[in-house]
Structures are given as C-alpha cells and as structure tokens.
Amino acid sequence: MVSKQLGKRLAAAALAGATMVSMAACGSGQAKTANAKHGSTSSIISVNNTEPLSALVPADTNEMGGSRIIRYLFEGLVSFDAKGRQHMEVAKSITANADSTQYAIKLNDGWKFTNGEAVTAQSFAKAWSFAANAKHAQKQASRMSIIKGYDALQKPDAADDAQLSGLQTPDDHTLIVTLNAPDSVFPTQVSHQSFAPLPSVAYKDIKAFGKHPIGDGPYMFKSWRPNTSITVVKNPDYRGSRKVMNGGIEYRDYSSPDAAYADVQSGNLDLLMDVPQSALKTFRTDSTIKAYSQPGSVYMGIVIPERLAHFGLNKEGDLRRQAISMAIDRNQIIDKVFYNTKTAATDFTSPGVPEHQKNLKGTANLRHNAAKAKQLWKQADAISPFKQKLTISYPTDGGHKPWIEAVCNQLKNTLGVDAVADAYPTMSDMLKRVLDRSIQTPYFSGWSLDYPSAEDYMTPLYSSESADGHGTNNGDYKNPQFDAALLKAKSEKDVAKRTADFNAAQEILLNDLPAIPMWCNNVSAASSPSVGNVHFDYTNVPTYNTITK
C-alpha cells in the first residue's frame, strides 16, 4: 500500500489559508443538500477556457486548455482532492518492493469506459507503452521514461505496438511495474493525466479518438465546436471519489479575458477561472459577481533557451540570466500591476507543495538587486558584448501584456538594454513556435501543478529526458549534475532526506536559471451569484464536479 509516511507528506500539501472541500467528503447526502440550495443536478455549468492545442489525448496534451478537460474525462489509478489528499481510484492498492524499483498494483473490479469496455491492467499497460513509443510523438512521452524499456521504445525501429518491458499484466486486475531506478514518488506521479488508461478503440485512429474521446472519468464527452466550446456531461457509470453535482461543463473558448469577465458580470458565464488584469483592483468588491481569492500554485516565469546567442549554459549565459533575474523587481510588479494577487518566487516550486523553500543557496538570484544586476551584466559584456534587442515573447489572450512590458521597462532602466515585448495573438500561436523550436527569444512560461510534489516542477520542466521534444523542457536545458541530484531525491524514501536532495537540485537550478521564476498565481476567480460550491484544488483549477447553480 502507499506508505503512511507518504500519506502524511501529501496531506501536508494543503494550501495554507484556503477554504476547500475534500472530494471524498462529497457523499450523496451532502450533494443533495447543496443542490437543493443551489439548483438542479442537471444544470450545465459554463466556464472559461482556451482552445486546446491538440486533440484530447492524455499523453499528447501539455497545455491547460486541453488538460482541464482531460482531467475530468479520464480517471487513473489515483487522484488527489482539493486539499492534496490522495484517493485510490482504479487502483485498489499500490505496493512497492524494498528499494522502490518495482510496484505491484491491484485494480478495483467494475470500472468501465463510457463505451462499456472494461478498464483492465492492459488498459494501462498499452496506454503507457503507446505514450512511450517515439513513433507516436506524444508530448508527454518522457513521463514514461521512469519505466524499464523506455529507451528501447524511443528507437526509430521500435514496432508501432511495442510494449514497455517493465510492464507485466499477469491478470486483468494486476499490473506489475518495474522502473529504471528507485523512485519513491511513483505512487504520486501516476496521478498525472498521461498515466490514464485508454480503451482499445483509441489505437485504431488516435487523432480521431482525441476529437471524440472515450474515458472513464466523472464526465463523458458530448461535443467540440472548434474555437467556440467543448461540452462534457455527467458520466452516470463513474464509480470514483469525484462525485458530480451538476449535469455537465461547457468549456468556452475566450481570446479576451476582459470579454469573459464581462460575461460573468452579466450572467452569461457561470465561472471565470482567471480574473483579467484590468479587474484585479476591483473584483473583490464587485457586487455583480462572487469573488474568490486564495493562495495558489500556478508558477509563472520566463524561459531563456540555451540555444540563444549569449545565453548558453556557460559563464556568460549564467551571468546574463542572473543579471536579468536580479534586475526584475517582482514585488513592485505584483503590487502595481497585480494588486497583490501573486506571490513572489523564492524557488522553482510553489507554496502548494511541502518542499517549497524560501532561503536556499542561490535564492538571492531571485531578489531585486539593481546594483548587482548591472555588475553581472557588465561582466558578461566583457566576455562577449550584447548589442542586440532583448525580446520577451508572450500571448495576448492571457492578460500578460502589462507585466511583460513592466519587466521590459525594468530591464531597460537597470541594464541599459533595448528590451521589448513581442506579442503573439494566442497562446496556441506561441506554443507552436515553442514546440517546434522556431521561437528565437526568451518567452513567457506557466506551469500548473499536476500533483503535490516538488518533483512535478523539476522532472517535466528541467530534466534532460524531458528536453528535445520528449516532454515540457522546451528550453532544452541539460545539466547532468541536476539530473543526478533529481534522481537521488526520487530514490530516497525518507521524507526529510528526500526534501534535502530536492533542495540540492534546486540550488543547481538557482545558479543556472534555465527559466527566470517570477511568481505563483493566487486563485483570483469570479462567478455568477447564482453559482455555488465553487472550490479550487491544489493546481488552482476549479473542482468542476462540485459546482452547482
């Protein structure tokens, strides 16, 4: 079983000061009471979203427009509730061997996909193997690199249906997982959407499947109107902990955050997840809406790819990254632009995980120090003069323009560089350039926590195995010392020792700064007054299944 020690660590991940609800506590009696007060269980709840970049395939989605939907269409082995507490879902038990290199997973009986097909051990083994196979070019492929046999499936001569050698299914309800190295975080990692099971029909045409996905989660797919909306409805056969208290969710595509906020004010949109910058000063006292504000875990930063001239992983690059980071007055921007709805970064994680740190070696690189920034930039110029524009790219559909321009102004004033903001029409437009590596500038980056562990901020974003298109290390940062420190942390069962090892890995990042951590977003949301039971999980995402009206 998942250890008591692990359970205690996960429970400690509850967000401080947040008023949240446990999904396990949403029993039928409470659901009836809430719905009697707030409306019918058949109501469709409208929420804001962005158009998914690709089809709704769990292992091929690495942006929030698709992930918010996939997380509710599919259920995996385990889930985490709003307070960061783990719940067994399809898994009945997860048992590690002595050194955490192998896990025996027993599955509950009776789980089905919405087409009636049974969810079995093979449903997981085939899905994970499909994700790991380089021929299928799944964006979350590197999530499977922890499993034995991953390297073989990354070879160009691997068969389309090749299976990970580290997966055995002795019967329909048993999955044996052998890893490449000790990994005590594995029972937490499998909550990520990329580890979701897939029905057999998915492999006939994965792109077509992603346009009309069939899952085993609390909701089932209904329709997709491109660039307009995606609607999901309650899955009557769902048997997990995330009980549904409404009839479905309509995810509406908004290119303008201000338009979405206006729709909430007028009652034409039920819930807005991110209040636009233009309303941050007033939304908490706006009588036309219900306001929600609490600490959050969504990380925001600026990625500076190593391939850019003057920013390699070398002495000059280190100096320039550190100078840029110190030239930015995060607290001033948080105060003047965001009206204190962000929390300045002190490390590469967030207050949403128990390993979050405030005073690591290198944390000074995240503090405003104009004099030191000028000194470092001058030292870098002595190595190779910087005579070009310093361009920072961002999407216009996320309300990022004010703070990106504020950063550029600070860099101009402190470093004397020609810093300019470069706008892309949508997040999808920018992401396409990021993913094909054609973007030739530093760029805005955000990361939503997948599970309450510091590991989720490190492996996907900065490990070598997640670079070169195999994951979400889109800056292609590679440092063997960091990889080794991260591997050591993941192999450690003792919580205190594991945290110390994560700290050592973070200190390497704080020196190299493959990205410039800016802040973590607090939850700043708004709903129509007619909406009730709105809660936010450890990832800042609403618990869509609890919402009523």
Side-chain angles (χ1 to χ4, degrees):
M1 295 290 289
V2 177
S3 71
K4 291 182 179 178
Q5 194 175 45
L6 175 63
K8 290 179 180 178
R9 180 175 67 84
L10 295 171
L15 303 181
T19 303
M20 299 181 179
V21 64
S22 164
M23 295 305 96
C26 294
S28 59
Q30 289 183 340
K32 288 178 181 177
T33 300
N35 284 313
K37 182 177 180 180
H38 291 287
S40 169
T41 56
S42 63
S43 296
I44 301 296
I45 309 298
S46 58
V47 302
N48 73 303
N49 200 34
T50 56
E51 178 75 3
L53 184 62
S54 56
L56 298 175
V57 177
D60 198 35
T61 299
N62 63 355
E63 43 79 35
M64 288 305 296
S67 294
R68 292 184 191 118
I69 303 168
I70 286 173
R71 284 176 57 187
Y72 282 84
L73 288 176
F74 293 86
E75 192 69 274
L77 296 169
V78 301
S79 71
F80 288 90
D81 65 27
K83 292 185 177 180
R85 295 181 298 207
Q86 189 180 55
H87 295 266
M88 290 293 177
E89 300 294 359
V90 182
K92 185 176 183 179
S93 63
I94 302 177
T95 306
N97 65 354
D99 64 356
S100 299
T101 58
Q102 189 176 82
Y103 288 83
I105 302 172
K106 291 293 184 180
L107 306 186
N108 284 306
D109 193 14
W111 278 79
K112 293 183 179 181
F113 294 103
T114 55
N115 66 350
E117 179 181 330
V119 178
T120 67
Q122 272 294 324
S123 305
F124 288 94
K126 290 187 67 175
W128 298 0
S129 297
F130 181 89
N133 196 316
K135 287 187 176 180
H136 304 143
Q138 300 291 281
K139 299 183 187 73
Q140 298 278 11
S142 63
R143 295 275 184 176
M144 306 302 151
S145 63
I146 58 179
I147 302 173
K148 186 177 180 180
Y150 174 80
D151 289 343
L153 268 61
Q154 286 290 295
K155 296 179 179 178
D157 60 348
D160 282 347
D161 60 352
Q163 299 294 290
L164 286 162
S165 61
L167 299 179
Q168 282 80 47
T169 55
D171 58 63
D172 283 350
H173 297 98
T174 305
L175 176 63
I176 307 297
V177 185
T178 302
L179 306 180
N180 287 314
D183 189 346
S184 62
V185 189
F186 179 76
T188 302
Q189 293 169 301
V190 293
S191 66
H192 187 263
Q193 66 186 44
S194 59
F195 289 93
L198 293 177
S200 55
V201 68
Y203 308 106
K204 295 179 181 179
D205 187 336
I206 194 67
K207 290 185 179 179
F209 172 82
K211 291 295 184 180
H212 200 293
I214 297 168
D216 63 333
Y219 292 94
M220 54 195 296
F221 179 83
K222 181 181 180 182
S223 64
W224 187 342
R225 297 163 59 203
N227 300 304
T228 302
S229 68
I230 293 176
T231 300
V232 301
V233 295
K234 180 179 179 178
N235 176 7
D237 298 321
Y238 174 72
R239 52 187 293 128
S241 69
R242 296 187 290 168
K243 306 306 181 185
V244 176
M245 299 165 64
N246 51 58
I249 305 294
E250 180 190 5
Y251 297 87
R252 295 182 185 172
D253 182 18
Y254 281 90
S255 59
S256 167
D258 292 295
Y261 187 69
D263 275 359
V264 172
Q265 289 177 305
S266 65
N268 292 322
L269 179 69
D270 292 323
L271 176 64
L272 172 66
M273 199 175 85
D274 300 298
V275 171
Q277 192 276 334
S278 60
L280 286 178
K281 185 177 182 179
T282 59
F283 86 100
R284 282 166 286 200
T285 57
D286 187 339
S287 62
T288 67
I289 57 109
K290 281 185 181 179
Y292 306 87
S293 181
Q294 62 191 45
S297 62
V298 174
Y299 157 90
M300 294 289 175
I302 298 172
V303 173
I304 306 180
E306 291 178 36
R307 64 179 179 272
L308 302 183
H310 300 284
F311 290 103
L313 195 61
N314 51 39
K315 182 63 174 179
E316 182 195 358
D318 290 348
L319 290 169
R320 293 205 187 279
R321 288 187 176 88
Q322 291 170 17
I324 289 172
S325 183
M326 291 185 184
I328 299 171
D329 189 338
R330 293 164 178 77
N331 288 323
Q332 182 185 68
I333 296 174
I334 289 172
D335 180 28
K336 302 299 183 182
V337 177
F338 293 117
Y339 302 99
N340 296 308
T341 58
K342 313 287 181 185
T343 301
T346 59
D347 69 354
F348 277 78
T349 70
S350 80
V353 298
E355 303 95 341
H356 177 60
Q357 302 294 325
K358 294 183 178 180
N359 292 293
L360 292 174
K361 179 182 178 182
T363 295
N365 286 337
L366 306 186
R367 298 190 185 114
H368 181 229
N369 188 334
K372 184 66 177 291
K374 290 177 182 178
Q375 177 188 343
L376 295 175
W377 193 260
K378 185 177 180 179
Q379 291 175 13
D381 274 344
I383 298 172
S384 177
F386 190 90
K387 298 180 180 180
Q388 62 205 62
K389 287 184 178 180
L390 179 57
T391 302
I392 302 177
S393 298
Y394 70 96
T396 59
D397 59 353
H400 304 294
K401 180 179 179 179
W403 75 263
I404 292 289
E405 291 185 342
V407 166
C408 288
N409 286 332
Q410 290 181 348
L411 295 179
K412 286 179 184 177
N413 295 334
T414 300
L415 303 180
V417 296
D418 185 9
V420 296
D422 178 37
Y424 283 81
T426 66
M427 178 68 79
S428 293
D429 291 325
M430 194 186 80
L431 275 175
K432 289 174 183 177
R433 295 286 302 276
V434 169
L435 294 175
D436 68 15
R437 305 305 193 262
S438 62
I439 195 166
Q440 296 299 317
T441 66
Y443 59 87
F444 152 79
S445 177
W447 182 254
S448 181
L449 187 64
D450 295 302
Y451 40 81
S453 169
E455 184 273 335
D456 188 54
Y457 289 103
M458 298 188 198
T459 301
L461 296 178
Y462 307 112
S463 68
S464 296
E465 66 198 28
S466 297
D468 301 324
H470 299 297
T472 43
N473 179 0
N474 294 317
D476 297 322
Y477 168 73
K478 298 171 189 173
N479 185 333
Q481 289 181 312
F482 170 75
D483 291 336
L486 180 58
L487 183 64
K488 187 172 183 292
K490 291 166 65 175
S491 67
E492 182 57 67
K493 286 187 175 183
D494 181 83
V495 174
K497 291 179 180 179
R498 181 164 63 240
T499 297
D501 290 338
F502 276 134
N503 291 348
Q506 284 217 75
E507 288 175 352
I508 295 171
L509 294 179
L510 286 164
N511 177 76
D512 294 348
L513 292 176
I516 308 296
M518 295 296 292
W519 42 68
C520 292
N521 291 357
N522 295 351
V523 171
S524 298
S527 77
S528 166
S530 64
V531 171
N533 292 309
V534 176
H535 308 285
F536 297 85
D537 65 19
Y538 58 91
T539 71
N540 287 29
V541 174
T543 56
Y544 295 118
N545 55 298
T546 67
I547 303 172
T548 57
K549 71 173 182 178

